[in-house]
Amino acid sequence: MSFSNEVRKEICSDITDKDRRFACLYGMLLFCRHLGSERISFQSKSRVSADEFAELFRRVFGRELDCRLSESTSGKTLYIYDITEPELISEVFAKYRFSDGTRAFDDELVSTSSLGVFTAGVFLSCGSVNDPEKEYHLEFSVPYEPLAEVLVTLLGDIGVNARTTHRRGQNVVYIKGSESIEDTLTFIGAQQCTLELMNVKIYKDVRNKANRIANCDTANIDKVVAAAMKQQEDIRLIASTVGLDSLSEELREVAELRLDNSGMSLSEIGASLSEPISRSGVNHRFKKLARLADEIRNGGSFEK
């Protein structure tokens, strides 16, 4: 099941009393595909949303609706409920104070405590949310442009920064960012899905941190290996030209340890010397060896 349908199922499970059914159906009708005095048409690619619309309509208006199946442009099944009976349309318009030709949100119909349920109906009608494993994105494909601004304002009242755009002739209200999506899901009654999204975010943050640490460790290892190879190259040059016996005892000892132990860290080399020294002390001796090797490459003489 998609994450969007998980949200829809959780929303529907909480629409359990008369006021909540009224508010949720209001959101579904106001934001449905077509709302006019001759036809009301609710369409959805989600069977969950379609079944909930039929159930809420039956509970609010006492009428059974017939579902018609069609195929959307994307090849998915489209569940359609067309209401064309004039008397029933008039009853719907009267109950929800709809006006033909315009769609306006009547805040007097919905109490403040029911705004979340109303917005849940909007989500069931035209909303979707991406799988948080892939992307943080929630959107509403709003059929009537003025309603897009109504929805942006309503979401803004709970601190969610929603934006609008146009896509393929649709007015889209979209929300980016995990925290804003969490707030929206909680507002519309999908608390368990909110927790699921938060868990995914925590997992992704931990995984990304682990990857950064691993990448950093790999980079550090690569630097250490490259430095050790350069040190061995310098020492072999010195050995093949002037000989390691020409070096001071201090330099000869670290040189021989490096030749025999390419994987040793500077600290480990320092601890293995006859007279142990610090990491910085070992690094200082290797710098001396590097200068000697450079002098040999440049054809000059060197001091031990």
Side-chain angles (χ1 to χ4, degrees), residues 105-120:
F105 172 60
D106 188 342
D107 56 8
E108 293 182 358
L109 284 176
V110 181
S111 65
T112 302
S113 61
S114 295
L115 283 175
V117 185
F118 166 81
T119 312

Side-chain angles (χ1 to χ4, degrees), residues 224-245:
V224 169
V225 171
M229 291 177 65
K230 177 63 169 59
Q231 290 159 2
Q232 287 184 323
E233 180 186 329
D234 290 341
I235 294 165
R236 290 193 184 99
L237 176 63
I238 295 170
S240 65
T241 53
V242 297
L244 295 184
D245 289 340

Side-chain angles (χ1 to χ4, degrees), residues 138 142 172:
L138 187 153
V142 182
V172 178

Side-chain angles (χ1 to χ4, degrees), residues 36-57:
S37 60
E38 295 184 357
R39 179 170 66 95
I40 297 172
S41 182
F42 178 87
Q43 302 177 16
S44 180
K45 296 176 186 176
S46 167
R47 180 64 182 269
V48 176
S49 291
D51 288 349
E52 186 66 11
F53 177 79
E55 174 62 15
L56 290 177
F57 199 89

Side-chain angles (χ1 to χ4, degrees), residues 7-8 11-12 15 20-33 42-44 49-50 52-53 56 96 110 114-128 140-141 143 151 154 184 187-189:
V7 172
R8 294 184 185 108
I11 288 172
C12 294
I15 311 301
R20 296 174 72 82
R21 286 193 288 267
F22 179 89
C24 187
L25 184 59
Y26 182 31
M28 296 182 84
L29 285 167
L30 187 61
F31 283 76
C32 73
R33 185 58 52 196
F42 178 87
Q43 302 177 16
S44 180
S49 291
E52 186 66 11
F53 177 79
L56 290 177
Y96 284 109
V110 181
S114 295
L115 283 175
V117 185
F118 166 81
T119 312
V122 177
F123 183 86
L124 291 171
S125 186
C126 62
S128 64
F140 302 84
S141 296
L151 187 56
L154 194 155
T184 304
F187 182 58
I188 64 177

Side-chain angles (χ1 to χ4, degrees), residues 17-258:
D17 61 47
K18 182 179 178 181
D19 290 341
R20 296 174 72 82
R21 286 193 288 267
F22 179 89
C24 187
L25 184 59
Y26 182 31
M28 296 182 84
L29 285 167
L30 187 61
F31 283 76
C32 73
R33 185 58 52 196
H34 185 82
L35 181 65
S37 60
E38 295 184 357
R39 179 170 66 95
I40 297 172
S41 182
F42 178 87
Q43 302 177 16
S44 180
K45 296 176 186 176
S46 167
R47 180 64 182 269
V48 176
S49 291
D51 288 349
E52 186 66 11
F53 177 79
E55 174 62 15
L56 290 177
F57 199 89
R58 183 184 68 82
R59 298 295 292 268
V60 174
F61 291 99
R63 295 290 295 272
E64 299 282 353
L65 298 177
D66 293 326
C67 181
R68 176 168 61 89
L69 302 184
S70 183
E71 187 174 304
S72 68
T73 54
S74 61
K76 294 184 178 181
T77 300
L78 195 61
Y79 301 91
I80 303 172
Y81 288 97
D82 284 326
I83 304 170
T84 56
E85 184 182 328
E87 290 184 3
L88 183 54
I89 292 175
S90 295
E91 186 180 351
V92 172
F93 268 58
K95 196 174 195 70
Y96 284 109
R97 302 179 188 175
F98 292 141
S99 297
D100 194 26
T102 61
R103 299 200 204 189
F105 172 60
D106 188 342
D107 56 8
E108 293 182 358
L109 284 176
V110 181
S111 65
T112 302
S113 61
S114 295
L115 283 175
V117 185
F118 166 81
T119 312
V122 177
F123 183 86
L124 291 171
S125 186
C126 62
S128 64
V129 58
N130 285 29
D131 183 342
E133 285 278 7
K134 300 175 182 177
E135 182 185 13
Y136 300 128
H137 182 89
L138 187 153
E139 69 177 39
F140 302 84
S141 296
V142 182
Y144 186 63
E145 188 169 4
L147 285 180
E149 294 305 322
V150 169
L151 187 56
V152 167
T153 300
L154 194 155
L155 292 169
D157 289 342
I158 63 167
V160 171
N161 181 26
R163 298 183 179 182
T164 60
T165 187
H166 291 274
R167 186 194 310 136
R168 297 190 293 274
Q170 289 289 322
N171 307 287
V172 178
V173 175
Y174 67 93
I175 302 166
K176 294 282 190 182
S178 60
E179 291 186 3
S180 291
I181 294 174
E182 288 164 13
D183 290 343
T184 304
L185 293 181
T186 300
F187 182 58
I188 64 177
Q191 288 87 352
Q192 289 302 313
C193 288
T194 301
L195 292 175
E196 183 177 341
L197 189 153
M198 293 172 69
N199 287 336
V200 168
K201 183 172 69 172
I202 292 169
Y203 173 76
K204 288 169 70 174
D205 288 345
V206 171
R207 182 178 61 193
N208 291 338
K209 184 177 180 180
N211 286 338
R212 287 195 297 271
I213 292 172
N215 291 337
C216 182
D217 288 344
T218 300
N220 288 337
I221 291 170
D222 289 344
K223 288 180 182 178
V224 169
V225 171
M229 291 177 65
K230 177 63 169 59
Q231 290 159 2
Q232 287 184 323
E233 180 186 329
D234 290 341
I235 294 165
R236 290 193 184 99
L237 176 63
I238 295 170
S240 65
T241 53
V242 297
L244 295 184
D245 289 340
S246 64
L247 299 174
S248 66
E249 184 178 346
E250 291 179 347
L251 294 183
R252 185 173 64 254
E253 190 175 9
V254 295
E256 290 173 344
L257 274 171
R258 173 53 81 205

